[in-house]
Amino acid sequence: MKSLARSPFFGRAYGSYSPTQLLLIQNAFPKVGKRGVRLLDPFCGVGGALPGLVANGYRVQGIDINPMAVALADLRNPEHLTRKGAIRSALRGILRKCPPMPDGTSRFEQGWLPEYLAVWLRAYGQAICKIVRTDHESLLKDPFTRVLSYLPVLCARNLASYSASDNASWPKAGGLLRTVDPVPVLIAGFDAWMSYLESAYKITPNGTLTVECADIQSYKARVLFGSIVFSPPYANRLDYLRMFAPEAVVLRQVAGVDILGLSRFLIGTNVVSKNLPDDREVRQLPKSARDALVAIRDDPAKASASYYYPFFANYAIGLYRAVTRIGEVLAPKGTGLAFLRDTPRKDVLFPSAEIVAAALRTSGCRVVASAEVVRRHIGMRRKRTHTSLQGLAQREWTLRFVKAR
């Protein structure tokens, strides 16, 4: 069984903030007074930056469109420490109500879960309803039942059967069954989770954390935020939902959450069939982005017009729309920090940072500082094709912005 001792959030770092970025966030948003400042992370992912901001006294709101990432981010809430005894007691009662596992040893499975384990996880969700006297549709609405539902998601990579694919960040179904009995896995996961929270919050923080599954492009904020930090998806054609496939399988069994069809709504989705860009929205993009799209579309290489153009155009439109909304929910005189990456398509370096800067200006913000971080990341060599991604090196940026009065 894969160890949970170091951190219960293992194996899900891709797309999160780097150690250098976390340090920049801590420096940009130092400790605040008891009242706190409302801070938004609109692409919070698994929430790697959230505990440090909560510890610094901020009232943090994290949102993400990915329900599996939201589950893991929600488990970083310091309030769970105050309910440690109640959660442990409820977990024990739930596990006693779950069916016993069949005798057996580890073996190779063709799918994500053997049928008996899928049945057990469904029974686990039903047992939560019986213990706390609620219905299945309300599992993720109540904070207490939600955290009990999310615990198996935290342990998903010790429950599901998967193996490495051609892309290291995309697990695929099938592999050695990691456990015959999920009970000790969940108990070990609970202990590792609580140890993590105790380490992250050595003293009771003044800040608070709320996490919500939502799309920033259509997000209806109830309040304005004094600070915002974000790192949007890159235009790298990676399916950020597929990276969480083991977690998605477990969450579906426990709580009935189905992500079918969600991929087409992601910024940077690689679903382009019947998802062509709107020419009117393309014309709203900054000239540098429009020029890059023309160069990508007119390139004689295969699929330039049929795939790569709509992919990059949809990415640019979604990014522009999302960042415009981010600027709109920033309070007057509010400050923000953004981490971005310009991604290449052959000899075209797609100007994501300029798209973000233009969107911020549209919503009344101005960029007060920018820094080019690195010129690396040429690409990974793929096992099947034995070729590497060619073209310009990727370019990373840090932008600091402020909202006008």
Side-chain angles (χ1 to χ4, degrees), residues 64-380:
D64 203 282
I65 196 174
N66 181 340
M68 292 76 69
V70 165
L72 298 172
D74 189 282
L75 291 175
R76 299 181 191 264
N77 195 325
E79 290 187 7
H80 301 321
L81 277 173
T82 65
R83 305 189 189 105
K84 179 178 179 179
I87 296 171
R88 180 193 288 115
S89 177
L91 178 62
R92 288 173 177 170
I94 292 165
L95 295 178
R96 284 195 294 268
K97 288 184 175 295
C98 291
M101 289 291 96
D103 294 332
T105 58
S106 295
R107 62 181 187 271
F108 189 88
E109 288 292 330
Q110 295 292 338
W112 294 107
L113 294 170
E115 181 58 27
Y116 71 82
L117 189 50
V119 169
W120 190 93
L121 288 168
R122 290 194 292 272
Y124 175 92
Q126 293 163 3
I128 297 176
C129 298
K130 292 177 182 178
I131 288 289
V132 300
R133 298 179 182 179
T134 188
D135 58 86
H136 199 263
E137 288 72 24
S138 301
L139 276 181
L140 302 185
K141 296 178 182 178
D142 177 79
F144 191 73
T145 56
R146 186 166 61 236
V147 73
L148 290 166
S149 303
Y150 285 164
L151 181 58
V153 179
L154 183 68
C155 303
R157 302 202 178 198
N158 278 350
L159 296 171
S161 300
Y162 63 93
S163 54
S165 67
D166 185 39
N167 189 311
S169 58
W170 289 353
K172 65 180 180 180
L176 187 67
L177 181 65
R178 283 164 167 73
T179 184
V180 175
D181 187 356
V183 172
V185 173
L186 265 62
I187 292 174
F190 172 83
D191 291 339
W193 169 44
M194 285 296 156
S195 295
Y196 165 82
L197 289 177
E198 289 166 353
S199 175
Y201 304 105
K202 292 183 172 61
I203 60 174
T204 302
N206 291 326
T208 60
L209 174 60
T210 305
V211 182
E212 183 179 353
C213 192
D215 183 357
I216 184 58
Q217 297 182 68
S218 55
Y219 183 59
K220 292 179 172 57
R222 293 177 287 275
V223 296
L224 296 179
F225 297 89
S227 298
I228 293 179
V229 59
F230 68 94
S231 179
Y234 303 142
N236 49 15
R237 297 183 292 116
L238 293 181
D239 187 333
Y240 286 88
L241 295 179
R242 186 174 172 184
M243 294 176 185
F244 289 82
E247 290 77 19
V249 171
V250 170
L251 186 59
R252 183 170 68 246
Q253 299 300 329
V254 173
V257 175
D258 194 342
I259 62 169
L260 185 65
L262 184 58
S263 291
R264 70 184 298 109
F265 297 104
L266 301 179
I267 296 176
T269 178
N270 52 19
V271 178
V272 299
S273 177
K274 300 180 181 179
N275 195 25
L276 297 178
D278 187 329
D279 288 341
R280 291 171 299 179
E281 293 192 274
V282 170
R283 288 194 290 271
Q284 293 179 349
L285 299 173
K287 185 176 184 302
S288 58
R290 299 197 306 271
D291 291 345
L293 287 173
V294 170
I296 291 170
R297 183 194 62 197
D298 295 345
D299 189 280
K302 182 180 179 181
S304 292
S306 61
Y307 176 80
Y308 288 101
Y309 171 76
F311 165 77
F312 278 98
N314 284 332
Y315 171 79
I317 291 169
L319 182 62
Y320 186 87
R321 188 187 300 139
V323 176
T324 299
R325 184 60 185 146
I326 289 170
E328 291 171 349
V329 301
L330 183 61
K333 298 184 180 179
T335 60
L337 181 66
F339 301 100
L340 311 158
R341 179 180 292 178
D342 293 344
T343 308
R345 164 59 185 159
K346 297 185 68 176
D347 293 330
V348 177
L349 192 59
F350 200 70
S352 300
E354 292 188 27
I355 294 171
V356 168
L360 288 171
R361 288 192 293 270
T362 296
S363 55
C365 299
R366 61 187 178 91
V367 176
V368 296
S370 63
E372 184 178 337
V373 180
V374 67
R375 285 179 179 269
R376 285 200 289 272
H377 314 294
I378 293 179
M380 291 189 302

Side-chain angles (χ1 to χ4, degrees), residues 17 20-29 40-42 227-232 326 330 335-340 360 369 397-402:
Y17 295 105
T20 300
Q21 290 170 343
L22 289 174
L23 182 60
L24 288 171
I25 291 171
Q26 286 292 300
N27 292 336
F29 304 105
L40 173 68
D41 185 342
S227 298
I228 293 179
V229 59
F230 68 94
S231 179
I326 289 170
L330 183 61
T335 60
L337 181 66
F339 301 100
L340 311 158
L360 288 171
W397 295 89
T398 299
L399 300 184
R400 297 177 186 269
F401 56 95
V402 63

